[in-house]
PDB file of all heavy atoms in Angstrom:
ATOM      1  N   ALA A  62     104.097  50.717 128.147  1.00 49.00           N
ATOM      2  CA  ALA A  62     103.110  50.440 129.128  1.00 49.00           C
ATOM      3  C   ALA A  62     101.973  49.473 128.502  1.00 49.00           C
ATOM      4  O   ALA A  62     101.267  49.885 127.611  1.00 49.00           O
ATOM      5  CB  ALA A  62     102.495  51.841 129.577  1.00 49.00           C
ATOM      6  N   HIS A  63     101.734  48.358 129.091  1.00 58.00           N
ATOM      7  CA  HIS A  63     100.700  47.579 128.661  1.00 58.00           C
ATOM      8  C   HIS A  63     100.442  46.538 129.832  1.00 58.00           C
ATOM      9  O   HIS A  63     101.159  46.404 130.771  1.00 58.00           O
ATOM     10  CB  HIS A  63     101.153  46.640 127.431  1.00 58.00           C
ATOM     11  CG  HIS A  63     102.397  45.920 127.578  1.00 58.00           C
ATOM     12  ND1 HIS A  63     103.622  46.302 127.715  1.00 58.00           N
ATOM     13  CD2 HIS A  63     102.369  44.481 127.784  1.00 58.00           C
ATOM     14  CE1 HIS A  63     104.375  45.259 127.912  1.00 58.00           C
ATOM     15  NE2 HIS A  63     103.749  44.164 127.946  1.00 58.00           N
ATOM     16  N   VAL A  76     106.011  33.746 144.154  1.00 83.00           N
ATOM     17  CA  VAL A  76     107.445  33.340 144.439  1.00 83.00           C
ATOM     18  C   VAL A  76     107.958  34.324 145.308  1.00 83.00           C
ATOM     19  O   VAL A  76     108.716  34.113 146.272  1.00 83.00           O
ATOM     20  CB  VAL A  76     108.177  33.323 143.024  1.00 83.00           C
ATOM     21  CG1 VAL A  76     109.698  33.153 143.252  1.00 83.00           C
ATOM     22  CG2 VAL A  76     107.603  32.126 142.348  1.00 83.00           C
ATOM     23  N   TYR A  81     109.948  35.958 150.702  1.00 77.00           N
ATOM     24  CA  TYR A  81     109.917  36.893 151.882  1.00 77.00           C
ATOM     25  C   TYR A  81     109.470  36.089 153.176  1.00 77.00           C
ATOM     26  O   TYR A  81     110.087  36.397 154.244  1.00 77.00           O
ATOM     27  CB  TYR A  81     108.900  37.956 151.467  1.00 77.00           C
ATOM     28  CG  TYR A  81     108.333  38.819 152.738  1.00 77.00           C
ATOM     29  CD1 TYR A  81     109.207  39.695 153.404  1.00 77.00           C
ATOM     30  CD2 TYR A  81     107.104  38.537 153.162  1.00 77.00           C
ATOM     31  CE1 TYR A  81     108.783  40.314 154.477  1.00 77.00           C
ATOM     32  CE2 TYR A  81     106.649  39.222 154.323  1.00 77.00           C
ATOM     33  CZ  TYR A  81     107.505  40.176 154.940  1.00 77.00           C
ATOM     34  OH  TYR A  81     107.036  40.906 156.100  1.00 77.00           O
ATOM     35  N   SER A  82     108.497  35.316 153.055  1.00 74.00           N
ATOM     36  CA  SER A  82     108.154  34.529 154.236  1.00 74.00           C
ATOM     37  C   SER A  82     109.249  33.619 154.769  1.00 74.00           C
ATOM     38  O   SER A  82     109.462  33.555 156.023  1.00 74.00           O
ATOM     39  CB  SER A  82     106.837  33.732 153.989  1.00 74.00           C
ATOM     40  OG  SER A  82     105.784  34.585 153.592  1.00 74.00           O
ATOM     41  N   ALA A 113     103.668  57.047 171.927  1.00 93.00           N
ATOM     42  CA  ALA A 113     102.220  56.990 172.003  1.00 93.00           C
ATOM     43  C   ALA A 113     101.722  55.588 172.150  1.00 93.00           C
ATOM     44  O   ALA A 113     100.424  55.423 172.221  1.00 93.00           O
ATOM     45  CB  ALA A 113     101.742  57.584 170.632  1.00 93.00           C
ATOM     46  N   TRP A 149      93.399  46.119 141.232  1.00 94.00           N
ATOM     47  CA  TRP A 149      92.757  47.265 140.765  1.00 94.00           C
ATOM     48  C   TRP A 149      93.733  48.111 139.839  1.00 94.00           C
ATOM     49  O   TRP A 149      93.370  48.468 138.787  1.00 94.00           O
ATOM     50  CB  TRP A 149      92.355  48.210 141.905  1.00 94.00           C
ATOM     51  CG  TRP A 149      91.978  49.626 141.542  1.00 94.00           C
ATOM     52  CD1 TRP A 149      90.860  49.997 140.849  1.00 94.00           C
ATOM     53  CD2 TRP A 149      92.627  50.841 141.700  1.00 94.00           C
ATOM     54  NE1 TRP A 149      90.785  51.327 140.636  1.00 94.00           N
ATOM     55  CE2 TRP A 149      91.898  51.848 141.181  1.00 94.00           C
ATOM     56  CE3 TRP A 149      93.861  51.086 142.272  1.00 94.00           C
ATOM     57  CZ2 TRP A 149      92.300  53.260 141.221  1.00 94.00           C
ATOM     58  CZ3 TRP A 149      94.265  52.531 142.299  1.00 94.00           C
ATOM     59  CH2 TRP A 149      93.421  53.436 141.826  1.00 94.00           C
ATOM     60  N   ALA A 156      99.058  50.923 132.863  1.00 89.00           N
ATOM     61  CA  ALA A 156     100.244  51.644 132.659  1.00 89.00           C
ATOM     62  C   ALA A 156     101.009  52.031 133.850  1.00 89.00           C
ATOM     63  O   ALA A 156     102.334  52.197 133.808  1.00 89.00           O
ATOM     64  CB  ALA A 156      99.908  53.001 131.854  1.00 89.00           C
ATOM     65  N   VAL A 194     100.023  45.361 177.231  1.00 94.00           N
ATOM     66  CA  VAL A 194      99.329  44.194 177.174  1.00 94.00           C
ATOM     67  C   VAL A 194      99.090  43.765 175.688  1.00 94.00           C
ATOM     68  O   VAL A 194      98.826  44.606 174.766  1.00 94.00           O
ATOM     69  CB  VAL A 194      97.785  44.507 177.726  1.00 94.00           C
ATOM     70  CG1 VAL A 194      96.920  43.242 177.713  1.00 94.00           C
ATOM     71  CG2 VAL A 194      98.069  44.881 179.269  1.00 94.00           C
ATOM     72  N   SER A 201      91.828  36.753 171.922  1.00 87.00           N
ATOM     73  CA  SER A 201      92.157  35.694 170.919  1.00 87.00           C
ATOM     74  C   SER A 201      90.953  34.827 170.718  1.00 87.00           C
ATOM     75  O   SER A 201      90.611  34.108 169.671  1.00 87.00           O
ATOM     76  CB  SER A 201      93.232  34.780 171.330  1.00 87.00           C
ATOM     77  OG  SER A 201      93.001  34.277 172.601  1.00 87.00           O
ATOM     78  N   SER A 202      89.955  34.808 171.702  1.00 87.00           N
ATOM     79  CA  SER A 202      88.814  33.993 171.663  1.00 87.00           C
ATOM     80  C   SER A 202      87.793  34.482 170.550  1.00 87.00           C
ATOM     81  O   SER A 202      86.868  33.790 170.199  1.00 87.00           O
ATOM     82  CB  SER A 202      88.067  33.849 173.004  1.00 87.00           C
ATOM     83  OG  SER A 202      87.707  35.250 173.429  1.00 87.00           O
ATOM     84  N   GLN A 222     108.197  36.480 165.360  1.00 85.00           N
ATOM     85  CA  GLN A 222     107.527  37.509 166.079  1.00 85.00           C
ATOM     86  C   GLN A 222     108.487  38.634 166.473  1.00 85.00           C
ATOM     87  O   GLN A 222     108.002  39.609 166.825  1.00 85.00           O
ATOM     88  CB  GLN A 222     107.123  36.795 167.445  1.00 85.00           C
ATOM     89  CG  GLN A 222     106.104  35.757 167.164  1.00 85.00           C
ATOM     90  CD  GLN A 222     105.432  35.527 168.567  1.00 85.00           C
ATOM     91  OE1 GLN A 222     104.539  36.101 169.153  1.00 85.00           O
ATOM     92  NE2 GLN A 222     105.779  34.213 169.054  1.00 85.00           N
ATOM     93  N   PRO A 227     111.657  47.196 160.220  1.00 94.00           N
ATOM     94  CA  PRO A 227     110.602  48.179 160.270  1.00 94.00           C
ATOM     95  C   PRO A 227     109.167  47.578 160.130  1.00 94.00           C
ATOM     96  O   PRO A 227     109.091  46.286 159.990  1.00 94.00           O
ATOM     97  CB  PRO A 227     110.822  48.950 158.812  1.00 94.00           C
ATOM     98  CG  PRO A 227     111.423  47.830 158.023  1.00 94.00           C
ATOM     99  CD  PRO A 227     112.222  46.980 158.955  1.00 94.00           C
ATOM    100  N   ILE A 263      97.813  53.682 163.961  1.00 97.00           N
ATOM    101  CA  ILE A 263      97.088  53.725 165.201  1.00 97.00           C
ATOM    102  C   ILE A 263      96.950  52.128 165.706  1.00 97.00           C
ATOM    103  O   ILE A 263      97.204  51.807 166.853  1.00 97.00           O
ATOM    104  CB  ILE A 263      95.827  54.345 165.211  1.00 97.00           C
ATOM    105  CG1 ILE A 263      96.010  55.929 164.912  1.00 97.00           C
ATOM    106  CG2 ILE A 263      95.032  54.163 166.438  1.00 97.00           C
ATOM    107  CD1 ILE A 263      94.830  56.651 164.704  1.00 97.00           C
ATOM    108  N   VAL A 265      98.562  49.373 164.883  1.00 97.00           N
ATOM    109  CA  VAL A 265      99.888  48.527 165.078  1.00 97.00           C
ATOM    110  C   VAL A 265     100.383  49.029 166.518  1.00 97.00           C
ATOM    111  O   VAL A 265     101.003  48.214 167.134  1.00 97.00           O
ATOM    112  CB  VAL A 265     100.929  48.791 164.046  1.00 97.00           C
ATOM    113  CG1 VAL A 265     100.422  48.266 162.729  1.00 97.00           C
ATOM    114  CG2 VAL A 265     101.348  50.073 163.926  1.00 97.00           C
ATOM    115  N   ALA A 269     100.006  46.974 170.551  1.00 95.00           N
ATOM    116  CA  ALA A 269     101.268  46.671 170.997  1.00 95.00           C
ATOM    117  C   ALA A 269     102.154  45.717 170.158  1.00 95.00           C
ATOM    118  O   ALA A 269     102.981  44.937 170.751  1.00 95.00           O
ATOM    119  CB  ALA A 269     101.218  46.085 172.449  1.00 95.00           C
ATOM    120  N   GLY A 280     107.795  53.777 156.848  1.00 97.00           N
ATOM    121  CA  GLY A 280     107.603  54.796 155.788  1.00 97.00           C
ATOM    122  C   GLY A 280     108.940  55.080 155.100  1.00 97.00           C
ATOM    123  O   GLY A 280     108.966  55.267 153.848  1.00 97.00           O
ATOM    124  N   GLY A 324     101.619  56.169 112.374  1.00 40.00           N
ATOM    125  CA  GLY A 324     100.395  55.469 112.131  1.00 40.00           C
ATOM    126  C   GLY A 324     100.074  54.515 113.308  1.00 40.00           C
ATOM    127  O   GLY A 324      99.035  53.751 113.043  1.00 40.00           O
ATOM    128  N   PRO A 327      97.609  54.630 119.693  1.00 38.00           N
ATOM    129  CA  PRO A 327      97.988  54.739 121.017  1.00 38.00           C
ATOM    130  C   PRO A 327      97.230  53.651 121.831  1.00 38.00           C
ATOM    131  O   PRO A 327      96.054  53.458 121.749  1.00 38.00           O
ATOM    132  CB  PRO A 327      97.407  56.091 121.519  1.00 38.00           C
ATOM    133  CG  PRO A 327      97.374  56.905 120.146  1.00 38.00           C
ATOM    134  CD  PRO A 327      97.025  55.942 119.177  1.00 38.00           C
ATOM    135  N   VAL A 334     108.303  43.784 116.603  1.00 37.00           N
ATOM    136  CA  VAL A 334     108.365  44.660 115.480  1.00 37.00           C
ATOM    137  C   VAL A 334     109.645  44.343 114.863  1.00 37.00           C
ATOM    138  O   VAL A 334     110.685  43.938 115.435  1.00 37.00           O
ATOM    139  CB  VAL A 334     108.330  46.095 115.925  1.00 37.00           C
ATOM    140  CG1 VAL A 334     109.379  46.430 116.940  1.00 37.00           C
ATOM    141  CG2 VAL A 334     108.394  47.002 114.822  1.00 37.00           C
ATOM    142  N   SER A 344     126.075  47.474  94.198  1.00 43.00           N
ATOM    143  CA  SER A 344     126.840  47.509  92.823  1.00 43.00           C
ATOM    144  C   SER A 344     127.591  48.746  92.700  1.00 43.00           C
ATOM    145  O   SER A 344     127.318  49.727  93.451  1.00 43.00           O
ATOM    146  CB  SER A 344     125.729  47.502  91.699  1.00 43.00           C
ATOM    147  OG  SER A 344     124.892  48.614  91.708  1.00 43.00           O
ATOM    148  N   ALA A 361     111.013  63.120  92.982  1.00 44.00           N
ATOM    149  CA  ALA A 361     110.447  64.440  92.746  1.00 44.00           C
ATOM    150  C   ALA A 361     109.406  64.388  91.686  1.00 44.00           C
ATOM    151  O   ALA A 361     108.462  65.245  91.712  1.00 44.00           O
ATOM    152  CB  ALA A 361     111.516  65.522  92.296  1.00 44.00           C
ATOM    153  N   ASN A 369      90.320  66.221  96.319  1.00 55.00           N
ATOM    154  CA  ASN A 369      89.050  66.485  95.632  1.00 55.00           C
ATOM    155  C   ASN A 369      88.065  67.314  96.517  1.00 55.00           C
ATOM    156  O   ASN A 369      87.384  66.842  97.326  1.00 55.00           O
ATOM    157  CB  ASN A 369      88.372  65.132  95.370  1.00 55.00           C
ATOM    158  CG  ASN A 369      87.031  65.314  94.461  1.00 55.00           C
ATOM    159  OD1 ASN A 369      86.762  66.365  94.040  1.00 55.00           O
ATOM    160  ND2 ASN A 369      86.396  64.199  94.249  1.00 55.00           N
ATOM    161  N   GLU A 380      75.831  78.552  85.579  1.00 57.00           N
ATOM    162  CA  GLU A 380      75.485  78.579  87.038  1.00 57.00           C
ATOM    163  C   GLU A 380      76.796  78.894  87.745  1.00 57.00           C
ATOM    164  O   GLU A 380      77.824  78.452  87.444  1.00 57.00           O
ATOM    165  CB  GLU A 380      74.926  77.281  87.488  1.00 57.00           C
ATOM    166  CG  GLU A 380      74.667  77.181  88.950  1.00 57.00           C
ATOM    167  CD  GLU A 380      74.135  75.810  89.478  1.00 57.00           C
ATOM    168  OE1 GLU A 380      74.117  74.923  88.423  1.00 57.00           O
ATOM    169  OE2 GLU A 380      73.787  75.670  90.500  1.00 57.00           O
TER     170      GLU A 380
END
Side-chain angles (χ1 to χ4, degrees):
H63 63 285
V76 170
Y81 162 73
S82 300
W149 171 69
V194 176
S201 61
S202 60
Q222 299 192 76
I263 294 173
V265 299
V334 60
S344 63
N369 186 7
E380 182 181 2

